[in-house]
């Protein structure tokens, strides 16, 4: 209805604006760094994308817990929010420690001159995890204007870090330091959005100055179950379970840049980073659709229609993007990366198509998780293994070979995921 369209428009503007600003990060750096340095930053940012997995798992868990609660169940909402944020702090700290422990072999695999650039990724782990956990709390309450504002803030922080890196003449190490600082800023801003949202939903006072009577949220059966399930240990465990499919998806969407950095020359890995911008925009641009429909996917009565609409809109937007990349590939590549990368123009549509495949897969992952299933998550891991095998064995002699190998794996994933989601829906309907 009108409410969904209005919420979708607000969320679209915030998330799309955030995505464009986030990839302005690379547009700015493409003109300030040498191809080798740009390739290093691109690989590190994709390592960071993999570390987002626990945060995205907590986001989905928080949204799924908040979504069924009524507007007057404030105590349960606050309980879920406090536990989720504390869990995010602990999980983010663990991610940072693990990443610090593997920083030496990681720097060696990515052909970095020192460990210092990796520390920017380490420093981003805690604020990033907190940010996505907060977004999940806002998402579950269907406060999509605030969710859109958070996504826009992420883009502003990333673009701002690139500008500051250029102004201070920073290399990859300085770029990643500013990158981490941006995540601390957006984490604080997101917590502010959550705090004011909680205040906005609190009971109001009547003309006599008394608080209107509301139902005791702890006595509502559904709310009591959610509150009991929202302890710290259970929240972390649920977030890790939800992270299984999300980890596969983020590894799949990030591995091509890492493989390109490993197999291609430094100059070609920098060129691949420019081409991958089309892939990433095509993936993250429509990501607001899965976010918008996820609460509805979590409600059995709305689930089927929500999945159908999410897939339809994602595919429609993706088709437009592929067509634009096919007809305007060379000028778009030149605009994004400069004339030295114009030779990538004819392959821009392939990068875009792979990104659209990622976006469709994300909708199907969300749909499966919302129904309490994990089949699509296993399919994503299978696709990641397939893509790695294809690139590792035969598809690493050029940028076109790498992205084509990724495209074959993603096409197979989308077909398999569609079958899994459809089978899950039929199985549930027969119970």
């Amino acid at each position: 209805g009108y409410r969904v369209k209005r919420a979708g428009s607000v969320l679209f503007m915030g998330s799309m604006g955030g995505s464009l600003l986030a990839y302005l990060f690379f547009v700015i750096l493409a003109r300030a760094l040498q191809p080798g340095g740009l390739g290093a930053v691109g690989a590190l940012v994709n390592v960071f994308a993999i570390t987002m997995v626990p945060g995205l798992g907590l986001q989905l868990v928080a949204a799924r817990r908040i979504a069924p609660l009524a507007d007057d169940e404030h105590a349960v909402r606050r309980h879920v929010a406090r536990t989720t944020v504390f869990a995010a702090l602990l999980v983010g700290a663990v991610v940072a420690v693990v990443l610090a422990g593997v920083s030496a072999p990681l720097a060696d695999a990515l052909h970095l001159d020192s460990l210092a650039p990796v520390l920017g990724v380490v420093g981003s782990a805690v604020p990033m995890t907190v940010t996505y956990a907060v977004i999940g709390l806002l998402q579950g309450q269907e406060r999509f204007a605030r969710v859109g504002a958070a996504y826009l803030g992420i883009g502003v922080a990333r673009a701002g870090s690139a500008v500051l890196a250029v102004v201070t003449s920073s290399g990859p190490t300085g770029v990643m330091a500013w990158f981490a600082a941006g995540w601390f800023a957006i984490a604080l801003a997101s917590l502010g959005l959550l705090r004011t949202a909680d205040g906005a939903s609190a009971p109001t006072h009547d003309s006599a100055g008394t608080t209107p009577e509301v139902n005791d949220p702890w006595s509502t059966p559904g709310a009591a179950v959610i509150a009991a399930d929202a302890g710290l240990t259970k929240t972390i465990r649920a977030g890790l379970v939800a992270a299984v499919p999300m980890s596969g998806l983020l590894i799949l969407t990030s591995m091509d840049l890492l493989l390109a950095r490993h197999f291609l020359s430094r100059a070609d890995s920098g060129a691949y980073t420019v081409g991958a911008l089309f892939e990433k925009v095509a993936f993250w641009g429509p990501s607001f659709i899965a976010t918008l429909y996820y609460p509805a996917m979590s409600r059995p009565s709305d689930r089927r229609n929500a999945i159908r609409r999410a897939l339809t809109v994602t595919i429609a937007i993706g088709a437009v993007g592929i067509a634009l990349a096919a007809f305007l590939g060379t000028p778009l590549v030149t605009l994004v990366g400069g004339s030295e990368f114009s030779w990538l123009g004819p392959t821009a549509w392939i990068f875009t198509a792979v990104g659209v495949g990622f976006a469709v897969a994300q909708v199907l992952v969300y749909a499966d998780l919302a129904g309490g299933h994990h089949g699509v998550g296993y399919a994503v891991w299978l696709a990641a293994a397939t893509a790695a095998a294809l690139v590792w064995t035969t598809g690493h002699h050029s940028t076109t070979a790498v992205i084509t190998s990724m495209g074959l794996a993603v096409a197979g994933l989308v077909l398999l995921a569609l079958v899994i989601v459809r089978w899950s829906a039929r199985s549930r309907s027969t119970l």
Side-chain angles (χ1 to χ4, degrees):
Y2 170 76
R3 183 172 176 270
V4 173
K5 291 180 179 178
R6 182 173 178 273
S9 298
V10 173
L11 186 57
F12 167 76
M13 289 187 289
S15 62
M16 180 60 77
S19 295
L20 292 175
L21 285 168
Y23 291 105
L24 185 60
F25 173 85
F26 284 110
V27 173
I28 294 169
L29 295 178
R31 288 163 170 78
L33 298 177
Q34 295 296 320
L38 181 63
V41 172
L44 285 168
V45 170
N46 277 270
V47 170
F48 169 77
I50 295 172
T51 69
M52 290 166 56
V53 168
L56 292 175
L58 287 172
Q59 175 187 346
L60 295 176
V61 168
R64 190 168 60 200
R65 284 176 174 168
I66 291 286
L69 295 173
D71 289 339
D72 61 349
E73 292 171 327
H74 309 291
V76 184
R77 288 191 178 192
R78 285 192 290 270
H79 173 65
V80 172
R82 283 194 298 267
T83 305
T84 301
V85 171
F86 190 47
L89 289 169
L90 292 178
V91 171
V94 171
V95 171
V97 170
V98 171
L99 189 58
V102 300
S103 58
L106 181 61
D108 184 60
L110 298 180
H111 309 298
L112 301 176
D113 295 330
S114 71
L115 299 180
V118 182
L119 298 181
V121 183
V122 174
S124 304
V126 172
M128 173 274 298
T129 307
V130 170
T131 297
Y132 281 106
V134 169
I135 288 174
L137 294 167
L138 295 170
Q139 178 187 356
Q141 297 178 55
E142 298 188 73
R143 294 185 176 275
F144 292 118
R146 293 171 187 267
V147 174
Y151 282 136
L152 183 62
I154 292 172
V156 170
R158 285 186 63 166
S161 67
V163 171
L164 290 169
V166 171
V167 169
T168 57
S169 300
S170 301
T173 299
V175 170
M176 298 311 298
W178 286 116
F179 182 86
W183 274 103
F184 274 99
I186 193 58
L188 292 174
S190 297
L191 287 169
L193 288 173
L194 178 64
R195 188 176 298 109
T196 56
D198 183 65
S201 63
T204 57
H205 296 276
D206 58 22
S207 58
T210 60
T211 303
E213 182 179 356
V214 297
N215 295 328
D216 177 8
W218 299 97
S219 65
T220 306
V225 170
I226 292 171
D229 197 44
L232 180 61
T233 302
K234 289 186 177 181
T235 297
I236 293 175
R237 185 185 301 123
L240 293 177
V241 170
V244 171
M246 292 308 301
S247 62
L249 183 62
L250 285 179
I251 287 173
L252 177 63
T253 59
S254 303
M255 67 188 305
D256 59 332
L257 267 168
L258 301 178
L259 290 168
R261 177 69 180 178
H262 182 75
F263 284 112
L264 301 179
S265 67
R266 293 200 175 192
D268 282 348
S269 73
Y272 195 94
T273 299
V274 173
L277 290 177
F278 291 84
E279 172 192 321
K280 303 306 182 184
V281 169
F283 171 41
W284 290 110
S287 63
F288 77 95
I289 299 167
T291 301
L292 175 67
Y293 283 101
Y294 183 73
M297 292 178 188
S298 302
R299 295 189 290 266
S301 59
D302 300 327
R303 175 175 166 77
R304 186 183 297 271
N305 285 336
I307 295 173
R308 185 183 299 115
R309 290 173 182 171
L311 286 172
T312 300
V313 178
T314 300
I315 293 170
I317 293 175
V320 173
I322 294 171
L324 288 173
F327 287 105
L328 300 173
T330 299
L332 287 174
V333 168
T334 302
L335 176 66
V336 170
S339 58
E340 63 181 303
F341 299 111
S342 60
W343 57 272
L344 281 171
T347 61
W349 74 270
I350 304 177
F351 282 95
T352 305
V354 171
V356 173
F358 290 154
V360 173
Q362 182 187 31
V363 171
L364 294 170
V365 166
Y366 275 45
D368 208 37
L369 282 173
H373 305 291
H374 300 89
V376 176
Y378 300 137
V380 172
W381 276 102
L382 177 61
T386 301
L390 287 173
V391 175
W392 202 282
T393 55
T394 61
H396 58 256
H397 58 274
S398 68
T399 57
T400 302
V402 174
I403 193 61
T404 301
S405 298
M406 293 297 300
L408 292 173
V410 172
L413 167 62
V414 169
L415 292 175
L416 180 57
L418 284 168
V419 171
I420 291 172
V421 170
R422 186 173 180 82
W423 179 83
S424 297
R426 286 185 173 180
S427 297
R428 176 171 289 233
S429 66
T430 59
L431 292 178

